[in-house]
Amino acid sequence: MKLQIQKSTKEADLIKACKKQDARAQRELYEAYAPLMLGMCRRYVKGALEAEDVMIKGFMKVFTKIDLFEGKGSFEGWMKRVMINEALGYIRKNKAMYLEVEIEAADKEPDFDTLSTSLEVKDLMIMINALPSGYRTIFNLYAIEGYSHKEIGELLGINENTSKSQLSRARMHLQKKLMEVEKDLEKKTKHEDGK
């Protein structure tokens, strides 16, 4: 419990100093949160350099708009929202994301129970990062960040049903990739057993 109090006190002091534009506090805050924020930016922006650029611009916004943080809720959560908005702005500006407007009902929801493979988290993240930009963005916002379809629609300027459709397609795409991994593992196992 004491550690929690010290962390929140230290974070509160850092925020207070950053509100006064203290460069040392800004650097300390950046160094503390940059790896986490870069990882989040990489989920939305494929290129490493572009993701880093988005993160840096996000931190610039954090430092210039830090007075808007009222201390309600998590500061880390507030920063994540700034970073997500910066990443989505980058995607819109660079037209890297083409969301399909046509809404098609999925034939069936993916059944992940049919897969016996136990993947590492890094392998699943590679699959998610390989999704087309629109699918990846919706999947990240919904499945990882926890936004509702209504919120996603408002963030991206799309219809709520378009968000649902894109998520369904992303899930189907991931299921297809997972099934391919499953088949490859079965072939490998059969080949090894035949030796």
Side-chain angles (χ1 to χ4, degrees):
M1 188 68 120
K2 192 173 187 179
L3 239 175
Q4 186 76 8
I5 293 169
Q6 287 177 346
K7 182 183 179 203
S8 62
T9 302
K10 181 174 174 136
E11 185 177 85
D13 291 341
L14 269 177
I15 294 166
K16 191 175 180 179
C18 286
K19 286 183 178 186
K20 294 178 183 177
Q21 302 301 313
D22 181 311
R24 286 183 189 169
Q26 289 174 335
R27 184 175 58 246
E28 190 175 337
L29 190 76
Y30 176 85
E31 289 172 356
Y33 287 101
L36 177 68
M37 296 302 145
L38 180 60
M40 184 176 357
C41 291
R42 286 294 309 262
R43 288 199 309 263
Y44 293 93
V45 181
K46 268 195 173 184
L49 294 175
E50 291 84 1
E52 188 173 355
D53 188 46
V54 167
M55 179 199 65
I56 290 169
K57 287 179 181 174
F59 268 106
M60 289 170 40
K61 281 200 176 143
V62 165
F63 295 139
T64 58
K65 299 186 181 277
I66 198 161
D67 286 330
L68 297 176
F69 179 69
E70 299 173 346
K72 297 176 183 170
S74 156
F75 180 68
E76 182 180 310
W78 181 81
M79 281 197 320
K80 283 181 178 181
R81 193 166 203 111
V82 170
M83 295 294 166
I84 290 169
N85 287 333
E86 191 64 31
L88 296 177
Y90 172 85
I91 291 169
R92 281 190 296 268
K93 181 180 176 185
N94 292 288
K95 300 185 191 310
M97 180 177 74
Y98 298 101
L99 291 173
E100 298 171 25
V101 178
E102 182 182 323
I103 299 168
E104 299 172 4
D107 291 339
K108 63 175 185 162
E109 278 296 310
D111 181 13
F112 294 104
D113 293 334
T114 62
L115 300 170
S116 62
T117 317
S118 61
L119 289 174
E120 297 286 329
V121 172
K122 66 177 181 165
D123 296 327
L124 188 55
M125 290 308 294
I126 289 169
M127 287 181 186
I128 292 169
N129 285 333
L131 288 170
S133 185
Y135 294 175
R136 185 178 66 249
T137 301
I138 300 291
F139 186 86
N140 280 326
L141 288 170
Y142 185 84
I144 297 175
E145 306 299 341
Y147 285 89
S148 70
H149 288 294
K150 182 178 180 182
E151 292 169 321
I152 294 169
E154 291 169 1
L155 279 170
L156 300 176
I158 61 172
N159 184 297
E160 187 176 337
N161 288 329
T162 302
S163 175
K164 291 177 183 178
S165 173
Q166 294 293 295
L167 177 65
S168 177
R169 291 177 182 155
R171 285 178 172 165
M172 288 172 61
H173 189 82
L174 285 173
Q175 182 186 26
K176 182 180 173 188
K177 291 293 183 192
L178 290 169
M179 295 295 265
E180 289 171 8
V181 168
E182 179 76 11
K183 286 178 185 175
D184 289 344
L185 286 174
E186 284 178 15
K187 285 180 187 176
K188 185 178 177 182
T189 304
K190 285 180 183 177
H191 180 70
E192 288 173 357
D193 289 344
K195 286 186 174 180

